Amino acid sequence: MITENLQLVEEKIRMACQRSGRRREDVTLIAVSKTKPVSDIQKAYAAGIRQFGENKVQELDQKIGQLPADIQWHLIGHLQRNKVKYIAGRVSLIHSVDSYRLAEEINIHAKKRNIRIPVLLEINAAGEESKFGVRPEEAAELVEEILPLDGVKIQGLMTVAPFVSNPEENREIFRAMKQLSVDIAGKNYDNVSMDTLSMGMTNDYEIAIEEGATMVRVGTGIFGERVYV
Ligand SMILES: *Cc1c(COP(=O)(O)O)cnc(C)c1O
């Protein structure tokens, strides 16, 4: 089932790229494997997927040790400062930086390892109470605060769009995210890139691609519904 799902998702990504005049290689598919067993990840791995997303540090920590070393792991969920030490140097990208204090903690662990840790700033694009992330109008300020932390490499923005029945409802949000990343890129901050725009999930990744997503995070569409116990 996972293999078939991946083929379908791949086809939809390809079509969305075609519709919007984008190249397929400019969009990275992240398979969101949270709550799913290692055996499911192995199936997706066998089908060629190398980028996986998890939202909990402990689960990520357990899975990394059981899976091939050439997997690139993405931390996509809210990150508590006291958990940074468990993932520093082990994930290829942290998508969920939404405060200076968190960036500061990431910086400490980067310095210890003599590395720069790539991060995205999480934006609460629709201003939902229940969501993490900074408001769009605070994003440039957060970039400026984080700039002096040379263990932290800002690579772009991430958002979790609202859950909507019709994905078209999120088009404006994705468009505004793209514009925000262009605006911040236009400020030409040293050592800040806005190359990555992580947006779009199972319900709305095609729209997100049409509006400029460079990473889409697809869970249910690949692994099926999640069961929380
Ligand atoms: C769970 C999750 C996803 C994937 O959601 P689906 O709707 O299952 O595709 C993407 N991004 C984040 C941050 C998530 O927590």
Side-chain angles (χ1 to χ4, degrees), residues 156-157 176-186 194-197 212:
L157 306 178
M177 282 289 293
K178 170 69 186 182
Q179 188 58 49
L180 181 61
S181 81
V182 168
D183 291 346
I184 295 175
M194 282 288 132
D195 293 347
T196 301
L197 193 48

Side-chain angles (χ1 to χ4, degrees), residues 16 26 33 40-41 63 70 94 124 130 162 184 211 219 224:
D26 293 339
S33 46
D40 280 4
I41 300 176
K63 285 174 171 171
D70 65 341
I94 298 172
N124 185 352
S130 60
I184 295 175
E211 297 301 331

Side-chain angles (χ1 to χ4, degrees), residues 141-160:
E141 194 184 318
L142 183 58
V143 171
E144 286 168 22
E145 279 178 342
I146 294 175
L147 266 182
L149 304 176
D150 55 9
V152 176
K153 170 101 182 85
I154 299 174
Q155 294 202 326
L157 306 178
M158 175 271 215
T159 198
V160 178

Side-chain angles (χ1 to χ4, degrees), residues 32 34 55 76 158 160 201-202 217-220 226:
V32 176
K34 65 189 188 199
N55 69 336
I76 61 173
M158 175 271 215
V160 178
M201 308 175 20
T202 295
R217 309 177 308 265
V218 180
T220 312
R226 286 178 292 275

